[in-house]
Amino acid sequence: EIVLTQSPATLSLSPGERATLSCRASQSVSSYLAWYQQKPGQAPRLLIYDASDRATGIPARFSGSGSGTDFTLTISSLEPEDFAVYYCQQRSNWPLTFGGGTKVDIK
Amino acid sequence: EVQLLESGGGLVQPGGSLRLSCAASGFTFSSYAMSWVRQAPGKGLEWVSATSGSGGSTYYAGSVKGRFTTSRDNPKNTLYLQMNSLRAEDTAVYYCAREGTGYTDSHFDYWGQGTLVTVSS
């Protein structure tokens, strides 16, 4: 099973700041990595798939990069609605797995 | 508009059974693989199972294999999760999710609102 390790666990930032979230895989997942945003009481929402492709309707301030074992989700300038938990997910190998999440909260 | 609506959650005793349903609309259901993903209270996401568009192929997480069965009724646009021999650790919100590529090994582009399953005596 591929283990995805997200860091940091919590990121405390102010609106307008840049957020950089990391996801590291225990073995190569090529570019088969997605990122999701989840707010309290809501279902996850797909942000990025295949490492760097933005999902439909996702603002350009969200970008993804990386391949192999190291991936990054960047939010260029945090908006108030961006404070949430973010998860990465790999689809390279069965079982499909998720990272443990990074919470972005307001400083 | 793609919509996924889960139902069937509730309180069940350890060792009991429950069947979840996910009603899909807004897309050609049979053209997409579907998955179940769960989230224990206050915890992260865990993929549970996937089924191909035809229903001919199914995949399960090790934690539920042999206890859970995924099926689908394409004419009814409905996905099911039959859960048997339930344990306390199965307590979670269960989401159905559409596989974005159409195939089983995918990211999830649409999610339902979830249904809560509580396993407790």
Side-chain angles (χ1 to χ4, degrees):
Chain A
E1 172 173 321
I2 294 178
V3 176
L4 299 178
T5 303
Q6 292 189 241
S7 61
T10 304
L11 195 54
S12 297
L13 295 168
S14 301
E17 289 193 294
R18 183 184 189 90
T20 303
L21 288 66
S22 173
C23 177
R24 177 163 290 176
S26 59
Q27 64 187 78
S28 176
V29 299
S30 185
S31 294
Y32 298 131
L33 191 105
W35 290 93
Y36 301 86
Q37 176 194 69
Q38 187 178 34
K39 297 179 182 178
Q42 295 185 18
R45 176 174 73 143
L46 177 68
L47 300 175
I48 302 288
Y49 64 95
D50 292 348
S52 60
D53 291 334
R54 263 191 308 276
T56 302
I58 301 303
R61 63 181 182 273
F62 291 93
S63 64
S65 64
S67 66
T69 60
D70 290 297
F71 299 85
T72 301
L73 174 70
T74 302
I75 311 171
S76 60
S77 178
L78 282 163
E79 296 288 338
E81 62 268 27
D82 298 337
F83 292 92
V85 179
Y86 293 83
Y87 294 96
C88 56
Q89 175 241 328
Q90 65 82 22
R91 67 179 187 93
S92 175
N93 280 50
W94 295 103
L96 307 181
T97 51
F98 290 88
T102 290
K103 182 178 182 181
V104 179
D105 64 15
I106 300 176
K107 188 174 182 181
Chain B
E1 179 191 5
V2 172
Q3 291 193 335
L4 300 171
L5 184 62
E6 301 95 338
S7 60
L11 175 63
V12 61
Q13 292 189 339
S17 297
L18 210 57
R19 189 177 84 155
L20 306 183
S21 299
C22 171
S25 61
F27 65 102
T28 303
F29 184 63
S30 60
S31 294
Y32 284 85
M34 298 290 294
S35 269
W36 290 97
V37 177
R38 69 184 180 183
Q39 186 169 36
K43 302 298 184 182
L45 301 168
E46 179 188 17
W47 171 79
V48 172
S49 72
T51 180
S52 62
S54 67
S57 297
T58 54
Y59 303 84
Y60 298 95
S63 58
V64 307
K65 197 167 188 177
R67 301 188 298 123
F68 290 12
T69 302
T70 291
S71 62
R72 62 193 296 161
D73 186 333
N74 283 345
K76 292 186 177 179
N77 290 344
T78 304
L79 176 72
Y80 302 101
L81 183 66
Q82 177 66 43
M83 303 185 295
N84 299 331
S85 303
L86 282 161
R87 306 166 180 167
E89 54 265 36
D90 296 319
T91 294
V93 173
Y94 284 74
Y95 296 100
C96 67
R98 192 181 83 164
E99 304 262 4
T101 65
Y103 301 101
T104 47
D105 54 348
S106 182
H107 50 269
F108 309 111
D109 61 351
Y110 288 94
W111 298 65
Q113 87 292 344
T115 187
L116 176 63
V117 173
T118 303
V119 184
S120 175
S121 55

